[in-house]
Amino acid sequence: MMNVQYSVGQSKPCPVHDFALFATLGDTFSDALKVVPSDSVEYAATDTIYSAGVSAQHIYLLRDGYVKLFKTTASGKDQIIRVVKAGEIFGFDGLVDIRYNHSAMPLKHATVCRIAVDNLDMLGARRPQVERLIMVRCIKELQHADERLLELGAKRSDERLASFLLGWCNAANRWTPLILSRLEIAQLLGLTIETISRLFAQWKREGLLEEKQQAIQILDRHKMKQVADSNV
């Protein structure tokens, strides 16, 4: 993958202060964030938001859609390290490094708020608190990454997929969008696409889940939890 960065679509000002992420900072900080320039940019599935190795000049907040963060090995294989959901922040490498250490692409489409790291200086004395809040989110993501690495090393293939689906679907007997392809799920879980397809087919036959038009529903959450924790 080429180390290039794209700016896609027509950008317009983005109301960063409306994000729940910053709600805990109070009205004073909300007013301060209003003066920080930011762009709302739309990306299609074939676009690249940023690539590993390019200058980390912006941080991003996802307004709508999903974004996959991934690394590409020397052999050209992609490994997804995180799926970003609406309301979450990503691309905060610029606060601690000069380059992004992974790439970011939308899953289908995405609308993001893009903030230049240098523009955070406009917060003045309030910048450290905003950066601290962002870094807390960063630390939480690292903790989640550690948990996932543990799962990849300690769990069997069926346990990994069951754990992922339980985390993705918040409740049983409710349809949840699942826009990741079988290949992307395999890249996230460190499995093969054949294994993912086989387990989905098996669990649909057994009545654990059902699918329709890129949506999934867990029918038996209790049994799915048993599968996820069968090695405990």
Side-chain angles (χ1 to χ4, degrees):
M1 178 177 293
M2 296 177 62
N3 288 334
V4 294
Q5 189 169 359
Y6 298 87
S7 178
V8 180
Q10 296 294 320
S11 64
K12 55 185 178 181
C14 185
V16 174
H17 58 280
D18 286 342
F19 274 79
L21 170 68
F22 299 117
T24 58
L25 295 177
D27 293 338
T28 301
F29 279 92
S30 178
D31 291 338
L33 284 168
K34 291 179 182 179
V35 304
V36 177
S38 60
D39 297 318
S40 178
V41 187
E42 294 187 3
Y43 294 91
T46 55
D47 297 327
T48 298
I49 300 173
Y50 57 79
S51 295
V54 302
S55 178
Q57 299 177 2
H58 298 88
I59 58 176
Y60 298 83
L61 295 102
L62 185 58
R63 296 188 67 186
D64 181 57
Y66 297 86
V67 169
K68 65 177 180 180
L69 309 182
F70 64 97
K71 292 188 175 185
T72 304
T73 66
S75 62
K77 181 180 179 181
D78 290 339
Q79 176 67 56
I80 298 178
I81 57 177
R82 179 188 166 199
V83 176
V84 184
K85 299 181 180 181
E88 296 181 347
I89 189 170
F90 65 102
F92 35 67
D93 304 54
L95 297 180
V96 294
D97 204 350
I98 60 174
R99 300 185 184 279
Y100 296 110
N101 73 347
H102 59 269
S103 301
M105 291 184 67
L107 291 166
K108 287 231 167 192
H109 73 277
T111 303
V112 304
C113 283
R114 182 180 62 184
I115 308 171
V117 175
D118 289 344
N119 285 344
L120 292 178
D121 287 335
M122 299 182 69
L123 290 170
R126 297 185 177 91
R127 173 168 177 163
Q129 287 180 268
V130 172
E131 288 190 348
R132 191 177 302 116
L133 179 63
I134 294 173
M135 293 310 296
V136 167
R137 288 299 180 101
C138 177
I139 291 170
K140 288 182 178 179
E141 290 303 326
L142 289 174
Q143 291 173 336
H144 292 160
D146 286 342
E147 292 172 0
R148 196 165 67 83
L149 284 174
L150 179 62
E151 287 192 351
L152 292 180
K155 288 194 170 186
R156 301 191 311 263
S157 57
D158 58 341
E159 294 170 330
R160 295 184 209 176
L161 182 56
S163 295
F164 164 74
L165 293 177
L166 286 167
W168 189 268
C169 303
N170 293 324
N173 299 317
R174 181 179 301 172
W175 288 104
T176 303
L178 182 62
I179 59 173
L180 284 86
S181 66
R182 296 287 195 266
L183 175 59
E184 287 166 333
I185 295 174
Q187 291 172 341
L188 179 65
L189 302 180
L191 300 171
T192 65
I193 187 173
E194 292 81 10
T195 297
I196 298 296
S197 298
R198 175 179 57 80
L199 288 171
F200 265 95
Q202 175 186 332
W203 291 345
K204 284 191 284 187
R205 288 196 305 269
E206 295 175 351
L208 268 70
L209 58 82
E210 59 180 335
E211 287 183 290
K212 68 173 184 180
Q213 300 175 339
Q214 290 194 311
I216 189 170
Q217 181 176 200
I218 296 178
L219 300 175
D220 192 334
R221 197 171 183 87
H222 176 71
K223 189 170 180 180
M224 189 68 79
K225 286 181 179 178
Q226 289 182 324
V227 175
D229 299 329
S230 58
N231 201 31
V232 176

